[in-house]
Amino acid sequence: EVQLLESGGGLVQPGGSLRLSCAASGFTFSSYAMSWVRQAPGKGLEWVSGISGSGDHTYYADSVKGRFTIPRDNSKNTLYLKMNSLRVEDTAVYYCAKGRKDYGDPYNWFDPWGQGTLVTVSS
Amino acid sequence: DIQMTQSPSAMSASVGDRVTITCRASQGISNYLAWFQQKPGKVPKRLISAASSLQSGVPSRFSGSGSGTEFTLTISSLQPEDFATYYCLQHNSYPLTFGGGTKVEIK
């Protein structure tokens, strides 16, 4: 069974930093793209960042470009989101989601999702 | 970047109603589109991939259609457990983008 377990959320002041983790199990982690998706309170889903299975290619939404990075450690089956210069508008539940298999089915995106971790940016 | 315009943003419907939700892409995305359902306090669940392919275990009253720039999610006969928010996602190119969501409420 595929499982994704996020951790690392919490309360941080504006301008601060935080690192989220997503521990994956039940599939060959290094073969799959992964993404972070967030949802601000009462709002819709926003894709934040993605990374290829090998880690060679990374992608970011304009709203976080230059502030967030998305490394992965395939030896630990773990995805990260490093968030710097946090803003009040970054407050959200952050989900990690399994993407498509590199060089595999191009349609198998975002199934499943983790349970999410809440990041609150406030003074 | 590809924008996804989803409509309506909210709707009221009764059990048994036929419901149609639309997503329009700002440029052609072939069939690189998925639909998700999210209930309050829950994680999003994928219903449809490749614009029209129903996920295993999803009731057959859900269907998807479209290609290029216009897509629809149809619920043929709304059931009590279908009251939720629905999102489309384009994965044709990065940055990936979701539609704004459609909240389906009980009339």
Side-chain angles (χ1 to χ4, degrees):
Chain A
E1 181 192 3
V2 174
Q3 290 193 335
L4 301 171
L5 183 62
E6 301 95 336
S7 60
L11 175 64
V12 61
Q13 291 188 335
S17 299
L18 209 56
R19 188 186 78 164
L20 306 183
S21 299
C22 172
S25 60
F27 63 104
T28 306
F29 182 70
S30 60
S31 294
Y32 287 83
M34 298 291 295
S35 278
W36 289 97
V37 177
R38 69 184 180 184
Q39 187 168 37
K43 301 297 184 182
L45 301 172
E46 179 189 15
W47 176 84
V48 171
S49 183
I51 185 170
S52 62
S54 64
D56 289 345
H57 303 283
T58 57
Y59 310 90
Y60 300 94
D62 286 345
S63 57
V64 306
K65 201 172 291 183
R67 301 188 298 123
F68 291 12
T69 59
I70 184 173
R72 64 189 295 162
D73 186 336
N74 286 343
S75 69
K76 295 182 177 179
N77 288 354
T78 302
L79 175 73
Y80 302 98
L81 186 66
K82 294 185 176 181
M83 304 184 293
N84 296 324
S85 303
L86 281 160
R87 306 168 180 168
V88 171
E89 55 265 34
D90 295 319
T91 294
V93 173
Y94 284 73
Y95 298 100
C96 68
K98 176 175 169 278
R100 59 164 288 185
K101 186 174 184 180
D102 287 358
Y103 309 110
D105 179 358
Y107 299 105
N108 195 10
W109 282 90
F110 295 177
D111 181 41
W113 300 51
Q115 289 300 306
T117 187
L118 176 62
V119 172
T120 303
V121 185
S122 174
S123 55
Chain B
D1 297 0
I2 298 173
Q3 311 304 319
M4 300 301 295
T5 303
Q6 190 172 337
S7 61
S9 56
M11 63 184 302
S12 295
S14 301
V15 172
D17 283 353
R18 182 181 182 88
V19 168
T20 299
I21 298 168
T22 298
C23 260
R24 289 189 174 87
S26 60
Q27 60 187 269
I29 59 170
S30 183
N31 64 340
Y32 294 111
L33 183 113
W35 289 97
F36 296 85
Q37 177 193 63
Q38 187 179 33
K39 297 181 180 179
K42 299 296 186 182
V43 176
K45 171 188 171 184
R46 193 176 72 189
L47 301 176
I48 287 171
S49 60
S52 60
S53 182
L54 199 65
Q55 295 306 117
S56 175
V58 174
S60 59
R61 61 182 179 273
F62 290 91
S63 64
S65 65
S67 184
T69 61
E70 187 151 341
F71 302 86
T72 59
L73 172 69
T74 301
I75 309 172
S76 59
S77 177
L78 197 66
Q79 297 302 300
E81 60 268 30
D82 301 336
F83 292 95
T85 301
Y86 295 85
Y87 297 92
C88 62
L89 165 74
Q90 74 79 19
H91 55 86
N92 178 76
S93 61
Y94 286 104
L96 308 186
T97 42
F98 288 92
T102 296
K103 186 173 185 179
V104 178
E105 298 176 305
I106 300 172
K107 183 182 285 184

